[in-house]
Amino acid sequence: MRRRQVREKLFHWSGIAAVVIALTLVGIFFGTILKTGLPAFWQSTFVMDVHFDPEVVQIGPKPEPMPGESPAAYQQRFNQWQLDLGFVDFGQIIHKSIVKQLPEAAEHPDETLALVTSGELFALRDRVVADPGIIGQTVRLKLLADANVDVWLKGNIDRDLPDTQQQLSPLVRAWADQLQASGVIQNKFSTAIFMNPDSRSSLASAGLAGAFMGSLFMMIIVILLAMPIGVAAAIYLEEFAPKNRLTDLIEVNINNLAAVPSIVFGLLGAVVFIMWFNLPMSSSLVGGLVLTLMTLPTVIIATRAALKAVPPSIREAALGVGASKMQAITHHVLPLARPGILTAMIIGVAQALGETGPLLLIGMSAFVASIPATPFDQSTALPVQIYLWESNELRNFFEGRGSAAIIVLLGMMLALNAVAIWLRKRFETRW
Amino acid sequence: MKFRIPVLAAALLFVGVTTPAIARDNIQIAGSSTVLPFSSIVAENFGKTFPQFKAPVVGSGGTGGGMRQFCQGVGANTIDIANASRPMRPDELKACQEKGVKGILEVKFGYDGIVFAARSDGGRFALEPQHIFLAGAKEVPQGGKMVANPYTRWSQIDRLLPNQEIVLVIPGSNHGTREVYEEKAVIPGCMSLPEVKAMEKADKKKAESFCKAIRTDGRVVEVAGDYTETLARLDAQRTALGVFGLSFYDQNRDRLRIASINGVEGSDENILSGKYPVSRPLFFYIKDAHVGVIPGLLEYGQYFLSQQVSGKGSPLEKAGLIPLSTAERAKAIADLKARKSL
């Protein structure tokens, strides 16, 4: 008798221990991600007056469409104007602005430019393209500091290391500290991470917008394709299909497909969609199709479970009062199974959203420097972007960025799951 | 049968999007992970500088992987440019031509060194090629016979090396870096042994494959992924020695310390002057059949080769590339302009 009680206690306590271990691990996971990721949303930023010196920005007036000119000809003139503007030395403008804050930098243009991330040169050009009237004016601007400056100021590199092991020269490091002390460099919440596509030439301006759009297109494709196909297949198998060897075989196959490693779908996608159908490589269209294939079995199985959960008495009652089989399903069974189907769909989409493996095989791990405008454009996806950032050479900077991207992805997952729970609660019916 | 309608619509949508062969309007690049950072920087700035061209898309996959994709054929669903950290091999050229990829423009754009680096808190290494061979070989000559590699610590190979466990992390065979590592470090080190020299006289091929054989007792780790994976190995194992590109080391100075080879540090000057033995030229290959079809292809090549992009003081030099000399650059530009094919 005592032994039995001891065993009972032991069982009880081992259960509690398991829960505690699981919770600690999750806690450590979230703790480290938040600790490295959250600071990455704030970036070292120059806040200073920038004078668009007409001596430096020597450029003709912005071309306007002339009467009788074809749009193509105008576009060509406009492109040429923009190209000419690209050869303007915007570095000199930034150098002069910094010298105003830091007079000793006057003799060292190269070191001064090492403070500001190179993408800001293009940002200044884009300002002039948008409004040529800015030439000759002085504007207060926010310019992102170079990634290595950000790393230095945040202390993400050991500040006691000797010069040979530092990324920045002693002069640049001293200036960065000086400018931070005088308030020119501030740690500001950065919109770059949300608004920009990925970047490799200007690391500090690398953002998630391209990957986010890619993921969005893929999710839309998954919902548009997997929802109707999956639900229709489930209804047929559950309500109409005769019980015979063929349907048994199909059922076994669907269950097996759900267990196939996702990377296999990537191989399939690379061969079928890219080689046979000639769809564009690394496009979110191909990614969406591959993820659709991957989520279909999950959706079918979960939808069938939802349909099965509707009591047969409801079908029989509907049939009993003279409804056709189709009416019984569309008017009674489907509405009752709706919460289950929606949950199935959202779980499928959440799974697809976090998937990386198959996307690597269809070339979606490429570096894409622009935000995709259509599903036909090449793009990456959020989880792939995390992979890319975590494997970037500049570890000190991208460890933080990668964790920040994980936070964004986890946030989206949580939101999707919250929607699933809310839908279930809302449509839940008891019988 | 109401539920059939969405199925039908989906099927139609599917057929609708698959039938037209979609023409691409941006350049697609794949290949060497050593070239990837350089190529990405150029691609991004190219897209920003020229308003009429879209930014090229740059994938990775190693030199070998890039060549395989490049040689799949001609058409919008094949890549336009393959990045490589070694020249194209004759068998790859043959495979390309068999698939109809006839015109191939080879562009050399700079140099990179291969460095042996330990963790900055690990031992200091002054290596010679022979040490590298003896540390990683499957069999080594001893007393006139070939025996299974007996060395477990560096100090057993040479008393001047640190007394620490031998763990060598090298790139997998999909990387061009591996080939350069073998050609410039392992084989010279191996051939400097008298026993191997004798073997070379008898049968050159046999001697080479003897030199390239790596030990399989876990002391040599092959990494198929990027250098970050090699770095992660070093993070986990303090005594490991890793093989990296010089440009990667440049971005991680705070964590790594490089070994000298034959007493020469792997610095930019030493590589350019040829003093540092383990360096290699970097290339990209343009599919000539796609020039004029994919907009901006030749322009990308010319932009890449321009002094402001890959010369002294350029963004690529800051990212760790060792630029071409003026004469080499002029020749590369002239060859590209003339579309001189392999």
Side-chain angles (χ1 to χ4, degrees), chain A residues 83 125 161 164-165 167 199-201 228 274 278 282 326 366-367 378 391 393-396, chain B residues 2 6 26 28 40-41 44-45 48-49 52 57-58 77 120 228 250-255:
Chain A
L83 190 60
R125 182 202 65 181
L161 286 175
T164 49
Q165 281 185 278
Q167 300 294 146
S199 171
R200 273 201 174 246
S201 80
I274 294 177
N278 280 335
S282 16
M326 164 119 187
F367 168 74
Q378 286 100 330
S391 57
E393 307 84 69
L394 194 63
R395 308 288 312 131
N396 293 327
Chain B
K2 199 171 166 191
N26 60 352
Q28 190 107 26
S40 307
I41 291 174
E44 190 180 337
N45 289 348
K48 280 182 182 160
T49 307
Q52 68 269 43
V57 171
V58 190
N77 64 336
S120 54
T228 34
D250 260 349
Q251 307 281 340
N252 291 278
R253 286 164 176 281
D254 57 324
R255 295 159 193 243

mmCIF file of all heavy atoms in Angstrom, chain A residues 83 125 161 164-165 167 199-201 228 274 278 282 326 366-367 378 391 393-396, chain B residues 2 6 26 28 40-41 44-45 48-49 52 57-58 77 120 228 250-255:
data_model
loop_
_atom_site.group_PDB
_atom_site.id
_atom_site.type_symbol
_atom_site.label_atom_id
_atom_site.label_comp_id
_atom_site.label_asym_id
_atom_site.label_seq_id
_atom_site.Cartn_x
_atom_site.Cartn_y
_atom_site.Cartn_z
ATOM 1 N N LEU A 83 20.195 59.217 -63.802
ATOM 2 C CA LEU A 83 21.508 58.575 -63.851
ATOM 3 C C LEU A 83 22.602 59.619 -63.598
ATOM 4 O O LEU A 83 23.527 59.393 -62.816
ATOM 5 C CB LEU A 83 21.704 57.920 -65.220
ATOM 6 C CG LEU A 83 22.909 56.999 -65.371
ATOM 7 C CD1 LEU A 83 22.826 55.852 -64.396
ATOM 8 C CD2 LEU A 83 22.953 56.452 -66.796
ATOM 9 N N ARG A 125 19.973 61.204 -52.908
ATOM 10 C CA ARG A 125 19.648 61.359 -54.319
ATOM 11 C C ARG A 125 18.140 61.276 -54.531
ATOM 12 O O ARG A 125 17.557 62.090 -55.246
ATOM 13 C CB ARG A 125 20.345 60.274 -55.141
ATOM 14 C CG ARG A 125 20.069 60.411 -56.641
ATOM 15 C CD ARG A 125 20.287 59.127 -57.385
ATOM 16 N NE ARG A 125 19.338 58.091 -56.981
ATOM 17 C CZ ARG A 125 19.333 56.870 -57.471
ATOM 18 N NH1 ARG A 125 20.222 56.533 -58.364
ATOM 19 N NH2 ARG A 125 18.460 55.963 -57.056
ATOM 20 N N LEU A 161 39.273 45.586 -26.975
ATOM 21 C CA LEU A 161 40.132 44.856 -27.904
ATOM 22 C C LEU A 161 41.168 45.803 -28.514
ATOM 23 O O LEU A 161 40.909 46.993 -28.676
ATOM 24 C CB LEU A 161 39.293 44.244 -29.031
ATOM 25 C CG LEU A 161 38.447 43.029 -28.672
ATOM 26 C CD1 LEU A 161 37.587 42.638 -29.865
ATOM 27 C CD2 LEU A 161 39.323 41.853 -28.282
ATOM 28 N N THR A 164 44.026 46.192 -33.832
ATOM 29 C CA THR A 164 44.063 45.243 -34.952
ATOM 30 C C THR A 164 42.830 44.352 -34.972
ATOM 31 O O THR A 164 42.505 43.778 -35.992
ATOM 32 C CB THR A 164 45.301 44.334 -34.853
ATOM 33 O OG1 THR A 164 45.360 43.822 -33.524
ATOM 34 C CG2 THR A 164 46.561 45.076 -35.186
ATOM 35 N N GLN A 165 42.155 44.248 -33.830
ATOM 36 C CA GLN A 165 40.979 43.376 -33.800
ATOM 37 C C GLN A 165 39.678 44.163 -33.883
ATOM 38 O O GLN A 165 38.599 43.594 -33.802
ATOM 39 C CB GLN A 165 40.998 42.521 -32.538
ATOM 40 C CG GLN A 165 41.950 41.334 -32.658
ATOM 41 C CD GLN A 165 41.865 40.444 -31.448
ATOM 42 O OE1 GLN A 165 42.477 40.702 -30.427
ATOM 43 N NE2 GLN A 165 41.088 39.385 -31.544
ATOM 44 N N GLN A 167 36.872 46.625 -35.878
ATOM 45 C CA GLN A 167 36.424 46.827 -37.259
ATOM 46 C C GLN A 167 36.685 48.259 -37.717
ATOM 47 O O GLN A 167 36.828 48.505 -38.903
ATOM 48 C CB GLN A 167 34.933 46.522 -37.388
ATOM 49 C CG GLN A 167 34.534 45.125 -37.018
ATOM 50 C CD GLN A 167 35.091 44.081 -37.965
ATOM 51 O OE1 GLN A 167 35.417 42.990 -37.579
ATOM 52 N NE2 GLN A 167 35.221 44.424 -39.233
ATOM 53 N N SER A 199 19.583 44.493 -47.579
ATOM 54 C CA SER A 199 20.687 45.220 -48.167
ATOM 55 C C SER A 199 21.999 44.575 -47.761
ATOM 56 O O SER A 199 22.134 44.083 -46.653
ATOM 57 C CB SER A 199 20.668 46.680 -47.715
ATOM 58 O OG SER A 199 21.856 47.311 -48.122
ATOM 59 N N ARG A 200 22.950 44.587 -48.686
ATOM 60 C CA ARG A 200 24.270 44.069 -48.359
ATOM 61 C C ARG A 200 25.332 45.143 -48.505
ATOM 62 O O ARG A 200 26.401 45.029 -47.940
ATOM 63 C CB ARG A 200 24.615 42.880 -49.256
ATOM 64 C CG ARG A 200 24.105 41.581 -48.703
ATOM 65 C CD ARG A 200 24.884 40.453 -49.310
ATOM 66 N NE ARG A 200 24.520 39.190 -48.694
ATOM 67 C CZ ARG A 200 25.374 38.493 -47.966
ATOM 68 N NH1 ARG A 200 26.569 38.946 -47.713
ATOM 69 N NH2 ARG A 200 25.006 37.333 -47.471
ATOM 70 N N SER A 201 25.033 46.170 -49.300
ATOM 71 C CA SER A 201 26.048 47.200 -49.477
ATOM 72 C C SER A 201 25.925 48.225 -48.363
ATOM 73 O O SER A 201 26.870 48.879 -48.008
ATOM 74 C CB SER A 201 25.900 47.861 -50.837
ATOM 75 O OG SER A 201 24.891 48.813 -50.817
ATOM 76 N N PRO A 228 -10.090 26.218 -50.992
ATOM 77 C CA PRO A 228 -11.134 25.552 -51.785
ATOM 78 C C PRO A 228 -10.794 24.094 -52.107
ATOM 79 O O PRO A 228 -11.650 23.215 -51.969
ATOM 80 C CB PRO A 228 -11.221 26.389 -53.057
ATOM 81 C CG PRO A 228 -10.027 27.249 -53.081
ATOM 82 C CD PRO A 228 -9.535 27.385 -51.678
ATOM 83 N N ILE A 274 9.297 24.860 -61.902
ATOM 84 C CA ILE A 274 10.327 25.669 -62.552
ATOM 85 C C ILE A 274 10.815 25.021 -63.843
ATOM 86 O O ILE A 274 10.871 25.653 -64.887
ATOM 87 C CB ILE A 274 11.499 25.923 -61.583
ATOM 88 C CG1 ILE A 274 10.997 26.791 -60.425
ATOM 89 C CG2 ILE A 274 12.644 26.627 -62.295
ATOM 90 C CD1 ILE A 274 12.009 27.058 -59.358
ATOM 91 N N ASN A 278 8.041 26.250 -66.416
ATOM 92 C CA ASN A 278 8.774 27.479 -66.699
ATOM 93 C C ASN A 278 8.311 28.672 -65.880
ATOM 94 O O ASN A 278 8.317 29.800 -66.355
ATOM 95 C CB ASN A 278 8.668 27.840 -68.181
ATOM 96 C CG ASN A 278 9.637 27.024 -68.995
ATOM 97 O OD1 ASN A 278 10.650 26.573 -68.455
ATOM 98 N ND2 ASN A 278 9.341 26.835 -70.261
ATOM 99 N N SER A 282 12.707 31.542 -57.929
ATOM 100 C CA SER A 282 12.660 32.278 -56.662
ATOM 101 C C SER A 282 11.490 33.255 -56.551
ATOM 102 O O SER A 282 11.561 34.214 -55.822
ATOM 103 C CB SER A 282 13.970 33.009 -56.344
ATOM 104 O OG SER A 282 14.835 33.152 -57.394
ATOM 105 N N MET A 326 -26.966 17.506 -51.069
ATOM 106 C CA MET A 326 -26.193 18.740 -51.241
ATOM 107 C C MET A 326 -26.687 19.830 -50.303
ATOM 108 O O MET A 326 -25.902 20.530 -49.663
ATOM 109 C CB MET A 326 -26.362 19.153 -52.690
ATOM 110 C CG MET A 326 -25.972 20.533 -52.947
ATOM 111 S SD MET A 326 -24.650 20.524 -54.129
ATOM 112 C CE MET A 326 -24.273 22.228 -54.060
ATOM 113 N N ALA A 366 17.840 33.534 -52.281
ATOM 114 C CA ALA A 366 18.714 34.465 -52.986
ATOM 115 C C ALA A 366 18.655 35.843 -52.324
ATOM 116 O O ALA A 366 17.735 36.141 -51.571
ATOM 117 C CB ALA A 366 18.301 34.573 -54.441
ATOM 118 N N PHE A 367 19.657 36.658 -52.638
ATOM 119 C CA PHE A 367 19.665 38.021 -52.140
ATOM 120 C C PHE A 367 18.829 38.888 -53.079
ATOM 121 O O PHE A 367 19.126 38.990 -54.267
ATOM 122 C CB PHE A 367 21.092 38.554 -52.077
ATOM 123 C CG PHE A 367 21.159 40.025 -51.858
ATOM 124 C CD1 PHE A 367 20.878 40.564 -50.617
ATOM 125 C CD2 PHE A 367 21.484 40.875 -52.899
ATOM 126 C CE1 PHE A 367 20.925 41.922 -50.425
ATOM 127 C CE2 PHE A 367 21.527 42.242 -52.704
ATOM 128 C CZ PHE A 367 21.247 42.769 -51.470
ATOM 129 N N GLN A 378 10.948 37.974 -58.036
ATOM 130 C CA GLN A 378 11.764 37.201 -57.097
ATOM 131 C C GLN A 378 11.676 37.813 -55.706
ATOM 132 O O GLN A 378 11.620 39.022 -55.573
ATOM 133 C CB GLN A 378 13.236 37.196 -57.533
ATOM 134 C CG GLN A 378 13.518 36.313 -58.708
ATOM 135 C CD GLN A 378 13.614 37.100 -59.968
ATOM 136 O OE1 GLN A 378 12.978 38.138 -60.102
ATOM 137 N NE2 GLN A 378 14.402 36.618 -60.900
ATOM 138 N N SER A 391 23.301 34.102 -41.128
ATOM 139 C CA SER A 391 24.550 33.609 -41.716
ATOM 140 C C SER A 391 25.333 34.733 -42.379
ATOM 141 O O SER A 391 26.251 34.474 -43.143
ATOM 142 C CB SER A 391 24.274 32.472 -42.696
ATOM 143 O OG SER A 391 23.385 32.893 -43.683
ATOM 144 N N GLU A 393 28.134 37.631 -42.779
ATOM 145 C CA GLU A 393 29.509 37.681 -42.256
ATOM 146 C C GLU A 393 29.600 38.581 -41.032
ATOM 147 O O GLU A 393 30.352 38.305 -40.111
ATOM 148 C CB GLU A 393 30.495 38.267 -43.278
ATOM 149 C CG GLU A 393 30.503 37.650 -44.630
ATOM 150 C CD GLU A 393 29.419 38.251 -45.474
ATOM 151 O OE1 GLU A 393 29.473 39.413 -45.854
ATOM 152 O OE2 GLU A 393 28.465 37.502 -45.733
ATOM 153 N N LEU A 394 28.901 39.722 -41.059
ATOM 154 C CA LEU A 394 29.066 40.690 -39.977
ATOM 155 C C LEU A 394 28.216 40.257 -38.781
ATOM 156 O O LEU A 394 27.141 40.764 -38.539
ATOM 157 C CB LEU A 394 28.667 42.090 -40.449
ATOM 158 C CG LEU A 394 29.122 43.210 -39.521
ATOM 159 C CD1 LEU A 394 30.631 43.256 -39.461
ATOM 160 C CD2 LEU A 394 28.588 44.527 -39.965
ATOM 161 N N ARG A 395 28.750 39.282 -38.023
ATOM 162 C CA ARG A 395 27.984 38.656 -36.953
ATOM 163 C C ARG A 395 27.498 39.670 -35.930
ATOM 164 O O ARG A 395 26.376 39.620 -35.475
ATOM 165 C CB ARG A 395 28.835 37.605 -36.226
ATOM 166 C CG ARG A 395 29.485 36.594 -37.112
ATOM 167 C CD ARG A 395 28.503 35.609 -37.675
ATOM 168 N NE ARG A 395 27.644 35.086 -36.649
ATOM 169 C CZ ARG A 395 26.344 35.027 -36.765
ATOM 170 N NH1 ARG A 395 25.774 35.436 -37.849
ATOM 171 N NH2 ARG A 395 25.603 34.530 -35.800
ATOM 172 N N ASN A 396 28.379 40.602 -35.563
ATOM 173 C CA ASN A 396 28.052 41.496 -34.455
ATOM 174 C C ASN A 396 26.783 42.304 -34.728
ATOM 175 O O ASN A 396 26.044 42.628 -33.821
ATOM 176 C CB ASN A 396 29.209 42.459 -34.199
ATOM 177 C CG ASN A 396 30.415 41.728 -33.686
ATOM 178 O OD1 ASN A 396 30.285 40.737 -32.984
ATOM 179 N ND2 ASN A 396 31.602 42.181 -34.051
ATOM 180 N N LYS B 2 -22.329 22.690 -56.161
ATOM 181 C CA LYS B 2 -21.762 24.019 -55.930
ATOM 182 C C LYS B 2 -20.282 23.946 -55.570
ATOM 183 O O LYS B 2 -19.503 24.798 -55.979
ATOM 184 C CB LYS B 2 -22.553 24.655 -54.793
ATOM 185 C CG LYS B 2 -22.416 26.162 -54.732
ATOM 186 C CD LYS B 2 -23.402 26.696 -53.709
ATOM 187 C CE LYS B 2 -23.126 28.106 -53.328
ATOM 188 N NZ LYS B 2 -23.920 28.473 -52.169
ATOM 189 N N PRO B 6 -15.298 26.259 -56.897
ATOM 190 C CA PRO B 6 -13.960 26.720 -56.494
ATOM 191 C C PRO B 6 -12.844 25.837 -57.037
ATOM 192 O O PRO B 6 -11.779 26.345 -57.412
ATOM 193 C CB PRO B 6 -13.995 26.671 -54.968
ATOM 194 C CG PRO B 6 -15.317 26.170 -54.567
ATOM 195 C CD PRO B 6 -16.183 26.044 -55.767
ATOM 196 N N ASN B 26 14.943 40.927 -64.860
ATOM 197 C CA ASN B 26 16.115 41.194 -64.030
ATOM 198 C C ASN B 26 17.087 40.020 -64.111
ATOM 199 O O ASN B 26 16.706 38.903 -64.446
ATOM 200 C CB ASN B 26 15.724 41.513 -62.586
ATOM 201 C CG ASN B 26 14.992 40.386 -61.938
ATOM 202 O OD1 ASN B 26 14.630 39.413 -62.596
ATOM 203 N ND2 ASN B 26 14.782 40.483 -60.655
ATOM 204 N N GLN B 28 19.549 37.078 -63.028
ATOM 205 C CA GLN B 28 19.571 36.066 -61.979
ATOM 206 C C GLN B 28 20.979 35.478 -61.884
ATOM 207 O O GLN B 28 21.545 35.028 -62.870
ATOM 208 C CB GLN B 28 18.550 34.975 -62.301
ATOM 209 C CG GLN B 28 18.328 34.001 -61.178
ATOM 210 C CD GLN B 28 16.993 34.196 -60.485
ATOM 211 O OE1 GLN B 28 16.062 34.705 -61.088
ATOM 212 N NE2 GLN B 28 16.894 33.819 -59.229
ATOM 213 N N SER B 40 26.484 40.705 -54.362
ATOM 214 C CA SER B 40 25.254 41.316 -53.829
ATOM 215 C C SER B 40 25.391 42.820 -53.723
ATOM 216 O O SER B 40 24.455 43.557 -54.025
ATOM 217 C CB SER B 40 24.941 40.753 -52.452
ATOM 218 O OG SER B 40 24.903 39.365 -52.474
ATOM 219 N N ILE B 41 26.573 43.271 -53.283
ATOM 220 C CA ILE B 41 26.782 44.714 -53.159
ATOM 221 C C ILE B 41 26.672 45.366 -54.530
ATOM 222 O O ILE B 41 25.979 46.379 -54.703
ATOM 223 C CB ILE B 41 28.169 44.995 -52.535
ATOM 224 C CG1 ILE B 41 28.176 44.553 -51.077
ATOM 225 C CG2 ILE B 41 28.526 46.466 -52.658
ATOM 226 C CD1 ILE B 41 29.536 44.651 -50.414
ATOM 227 N N GLU B 44 23.006 45.359 -55.781
ATOM 228 C CA GLU B 44 22.170 46.352 -55.111
ATOM 229 C C GLU B 44 22.460 47.759 -55.639
ATOM 230 O O GLU B 44 21.536 48.504 -55.993
ATOM 231 C CB GLU B 44 22.452 46.269 -53.616
ATOM 232 C CG GLU B 44 21.498 47.068 -52.784
ATOM 233 C CD GLU B 44 21.833 46.928 -51.306
ATOM 234 O OE1 GLU B 44 22.473 45.945 -50.919
ATOM 235 O OE2 GLU B 44 21.461 47.837 -50.560
ATOM 236 N N ASN B 45 23.746 48.104 -55.728
ATOM 237 C CA ASN B 45 24.102 49.442 -56.188
ATOM 238 C C ASN B 45 23.787 49.629 -57.671
ATOM 239 O O ASN B 45 23.439 50.727 -58.095
ATOM 240 C CB ASN B 45 25.585 49.719 -55.928
ATOM 241 C CG ASN B 45 25.859 49.888 -54.446
ATOM 242 O OD1 ASN B 45 24.923 50.017 -53.655
ATOM 243 N ND2 ASN B 45 27.111 49.873 -54.072
ATOM 244 N N LYS B 48 20.233 50.517 -57.890
ATOM 245 C CA LYS B 48 19.955 51.864 -57.398
ATOM 246 C C LYS B 48 20.507 52.928 -58.338
ATOM 247 O O LYS B 48 19.943 54.008 -58.450
ATOM 248 C CB LYS B 48 20.579 52.048 -56.011
ATOM 249 C CG LYS B 48 19.739 51.428 -54.908
ATOM 250 C CD LYS B 48 20.385 51.692 -53.570
ATOM 251 C CE LYS B 48 19.607 51.037 -52.444
ATOM 252 N NZ LYS B 48 20.463 50.885 -51.261
ATOM 253 N N THR B 49 21.629 52.606 -59.009
ATOM 254 C CA THR B 49 22.265 53.615 -59.859
ATOM 255 C C THR B 49 21.530 53.765 -61.186
ATOM 256 O O THR B 49 21.303 54.871 -61.646
ATOM 257 C CB THR B 49 23.739 53.233 -60.129
ATOM 258 O OG1 THR B 49 24.372 53.010 -58.880
ATOM 259 C CG2 THR B 49 24.466 54.327 -60.870
ATOM 260 N N GLN B 52 16.809 52.419 -65.093
ATOM 261 C CA GLN B 52 16.114 51.610 -66.109
ATOM 262 C C GLN B 52 16.263 50.109 -65.876
ATOM 263 O O GLN B 52 15.573 49.324 -66.502
ATOM 264 C CB GLN B 52 16.579 51.997 -67.522
ATOM 265 C CG GLN B 52 18.006 51.632 -67.860
ATOM 266 C CD GLN B 52 18.980 52.757 -67.535
ATOM 267 O OE1 GLN B 52 18.899 53.385 -66.490
ATOM 268 N NE2 GLN B 52 19.906 53.005 -68.442
ATOM 269 N N VAL B 57 19.183 39.481 -58.881
ATOM 270 C CA VAL B 57 18.938 38.631 -57.720
ATOM 271 C C VAL B 57 20.107 37.658 -57.589
ATOM 272 O O VAL B 57 20.495 37.018 -58.565
ATOM 273 C CB VAL B 57 17.619 37.863 -57.912
ATOM 274 C CG1 VAL B 57 17.442 36.813 -56.839
ATOM 275 C CG2 VAL B 57 16.459 38.838 -57.903
ATOM 276 N N VAL B 58 20.694 37.588 -56.405
ATOM 277 C CA VAL B 58 21.925 36.818 -56.235
ATOM 278 C C VAL B 58 21.695 35.640 -55.293
ATOM 279 O O VAL B 58 21.354 35.822 -54.129
ATOM 280 C CB VAL B 58 23.058 37.690 -55.666
ATOM 281 C CG1 VAL B 58 24.370 36.933 -55.748
ATOM 282 C CG2 VAL B 58 23.156 39.004 -56.405
ATOM 283 N N ASN B 77 14.300 30.493 -67.560
ATOM 284 C CA ASN B 77 14.293 29.797 -66.273
ATOM 285 C C ASN B 77 15.666 29.240 -65.897
ATOM 286 O O ASN B 77 15.772 28.404 -65.011
ATOM 287 C CB ASN B 77 13.234 28.700 -66.251
ATOM 288 C CG ASN B 77 13.528 27.627 -67.264
ATOM 289 O OD1 ASN B 77 14.218 27.883 -68.234
ATOM 290 N ND2 ASN B 77 13.025 26.427 -67.036
ATOM 291 N N SER B 120 40.327 33.899 -31.319
ATOM 292 C CA SER B 120 41.299 34.878 -30.835
ATOM 293 C C SER B 120 41.819 34.493 -29.452
ATOM 294 O O SER B 120 42.864 34.960 -29.032
ATOM 295 C CB SER B 120 40.679 36.262 -30.811
ATOM 296 O OG SER B 120 39.493 36.247 -30.065
ATOM 297 N N THR B 228 29.993 31.161 -41.904
ATOM 298 C CA THR B 228 29.403 31.353 -40.571
ATOM 299 C C THR B 228 29.281 30.016 -39.852
ATOM 300 O O THR B 228 29.376 29.959 -38.634
ATOM 301 C CB THR B 228 28.010 31.988 -40.665
ATOM 302 O OG1 THR B 228 27.378 31.517 -41.819
ATOM 303 C CG2 THR B 228 28.119 33.474 -40.700
ATOM 304 N N ASP B 250 37.990 39.616 -42.351
ATOM 305 C CA ASP B 250 37.956 41.069 -42.193
ATOM 306 C C ASP B 250 36.757 41.540 -41.373
ATOM 307 O O ASP B 250 36.836 42.504 -40.631
ATOM 308 C CB ASP B 250 37.887 41.731 -43.582
ATOM 309 C CG ASP B 250 39.244 42.229 -44.021
ATOM 310 O OD1 ASP B 250 40.152 42.245 -43.178
ATOM 311 O OD2 ASP B 250 39.389 42.600 -45.202
ATOM 312 N N GLN B 251 35.625 40.851 -41.548
ATOM 313 C CA GLN B 251 34.404 41.277 -40.852
ATOM 314 C C GLN B 251 34.318 40.693 -39.445
ATOM 315 O O GLN B 251 33.413 41.018 -38.687
ATOM 316 C CB GLN B 251 33.145 40.826 -41.625
ATOM 317 C CG GLN B 251 33.125 41.233 -43.069
ATOM 318 C CD GLN B 251 32.733 42.672 -43.247
ATOM 319 O OE1 GLN B 251 32.135 43.275 -42.374
ATOM 320 N NE2 GLN B 251 33.083 43.251 -44.379
ATOM 321 N N ASN B 252 35.223 39.791 -39.097
ATOM 322 C CA ASN B 252 35.139 39.139 -37.793
ATOM 323 C C ASN B 252 36.474 39.168 -37.071
ATOM 324 O O ASN B 252 36.853 38.212 -36.401
ATOM 325 C CB ASN B 252 34.667 37.682 -37.959
ATOM 326 C CG ASN B 252 33.226 37.615 -38.401
ATOM 327 O OD1 ASN B 252 32.327 37.726 -37.584
ATOM 328 N ND2 ASN B 252 33.012 37.461 -39.691
ATOM 329 N N ARG B 253 37.173 40.293 -37.211
ATOM 330 C CA ARG B 253 38.490 40.428 -36.595
ATOM 331 C C ARG B 253 38.450 40.216 -35.089
ATOM 332 O O ARG B 253 39.415 39.775 -34.491
ATOM 333 C CB ARG B 253 39.022 41.831 -36.819
ATOM 334 C CG ARG B 253 39.474 42.072 -38.209
ATOM 335 C CD ARG B 253 39.617 43.569 -38.433
ATOM 336 N NE ARG B 253 40.134 43.802 -39.750
ATOM 337 C CZ ARG B 253 41.405 43.671 -40.060
ATOM 338 N NH1 ARG B 253 42.272 43.348 -39.162
ATOM 339 N NH2 ARG B 253 41.813 43.878 -41.285
ATOM 340 N N ASP B 254 37.327 40.583 -34.484
ATOM 341 C CA ASP B 254 37.290 40.522 -33.019
ATOM 342 C C ASP B 254 37.254 39.088 -32.508
ATOM 343 O O ASP B 254 37.572 38.835 -31.360
ATOM 344 C CB ASP B 254 36.093 41.312 -32.478
ATOM 345 C CG ASP B 254 34.785 40.816 -33.050
ATOM 346 O OD1 ASP B 254 34.760 40.438 -34.229
ATOM 347 O OD2 ASP B 254 33.782 40.804 -32.323
ATOM 348 N N ARG B 255 36.854 38.139 -33.351
ATOM 349 C CA ARG B 255 36.731 36.761 -32.886
ATOM 350 C C ARG B 255 37.857 35.858 -33.360
ATOM 351 O O ARG B 255 38.056 34.784 -32.832
ATOM 352 C CB ARG B 255 35.426 36.149 -33.414
ATOM 353 C CG ARG B 255 34.216 36.804 -32.861
ATOM 354 C CD ARG B 255 33.039 36.533 -33.787
ATOM 355 N NE ARG B 255 31.953 37.414 -33.433
ATOM 356 C CZ ARG B 255 30.779 36.991 -32.986
ATOM 357 N NH1 ARG B 255 30.549 35.715 -32.866
ATOM 358 N NH2 ARG B 255 29.841 37.838 -32.678
#
